[in-house]
Amino acid sequence: MSTILVTGATDGLGRAVAGELASRGHDVLVHGRDRDRVEAVAGEIGAAGTHVADFAELAQVRAMAAALDGIDVLVNNAGLISRERVVTGDGLELTFQVNYLAPFLLTTALLERHAPRRVVNVASAGQMRPDFDDLMLEHGYDEWRAYRQSKLAQIMFAFECALRRPDVESTALHPATFMDTKMVRATIGEPHSTVAEGAEATVRLASDLELDVQGRYFNGLEEARPDESAYDADARKRLWDVSEQLIA
């Protein structure tokens, strides 16, 4: 059995994934930004541990990474959609920070200390090439543009990480389309799929360590091809370099 950290595990997909992994006997670490909710979920599923950190504050992400002492699998699941442009205390656009930069920081910090065997990035089929001239979306903010940009950034990161650290199995997936979560109901309205469908796909990548996932992207249970920007080596390197600058 593996020690698996699931970020954003107090609700929706993350809660379902954490619960299923724990039911299979894995040592699950529950992450969330609200201590009461984190402890409640951990108690309900019999988690092995908890971590509280608000991804809208990079200092909390650094502290969380420093507190982690060896995990087998990291599931970068935490995410949001912000209807309005919000600037965090770090001076960064909220969606890009929470959905992409915070997981980038958490993952790269772990790679420097006790690298996990596998990193699963919960991305989306909704993808848009990052605008390097306006990553913080200061001009013409749109909630779906912000979300899609952050999700493609996750996939680009997964692919680049697979090349830079071949010892770490790095992958990304679109778990399911418009699952029945609070986030979907608040933005889309009617869900198109169940949380159970998305959880099945995500748990598979997190738990089946015989499955070859290195540098691959999955749509549900099937391997798929993301936006072409994910295959642009120059764009991936630029994103990595910019990301290091933004979290410095």
Side-chain angles (χ1 to χ4, degrees), residues 80-137:
L80 54 73
I81 297 175
S82 179
R83 289 188 176 277
E84 298 180 349
R85 184 176 184 272
V86 176
V87 177
T88 70
D90 297 296
L92 304 168
E93 191 273 314
L94 178 65
T95 302
F96 195 71
Q97 175 167 329
V98 171
N99 293 6
Y100 167 67
L101 278 176
F104 176 89
L105 171 58
L106 176 61
T107 305
T108 53
L110 292 178
L111 294 181
E112 294 175 359
R113 297 176 60 249
H114 303 289
R117 172 174 173 176
R118 179 173 292 183
V119 179
V120 178
N121 293 282
V122 179
S124 172
Q127 303 160 20
M128 181 175 289
R129 183 183 179 93
D131 181 353
F132 289 104
D133 294 324
D134 189 22
L135 277 178
M136 297 302 110
L137 302 178

Side-chain angles (χ1 to χ4, degrees), residues 1-5 26-29 48 69-74 116:
M1 293 293 105
S2 302
T3 298
I4 305 175
L5 168 62
H26 295 286
D27 291 329
V28 175
L29 305 179
D69 187 20
I71 60 173
D72 299 303
V73 180
L74 168 61

Side-chain angles (χ1 to χ4, degrees), residues 16-27:
V17 168
E20 179 60 27
L21 289 170
S23 73
R24 297 186 183 192
H26 295 286
D27 291 329

Side-chain angles (χ1 to χ4, degrees), residues 27 33 41 48 51 120-121 141 171 194 215 225:
D27 291 329
R33 62 177 180 169
V41 170
H51 291 274
V120 178
N121 293 282
Y141 179 84
T171 187
T194 67
R225 189 174 180 88

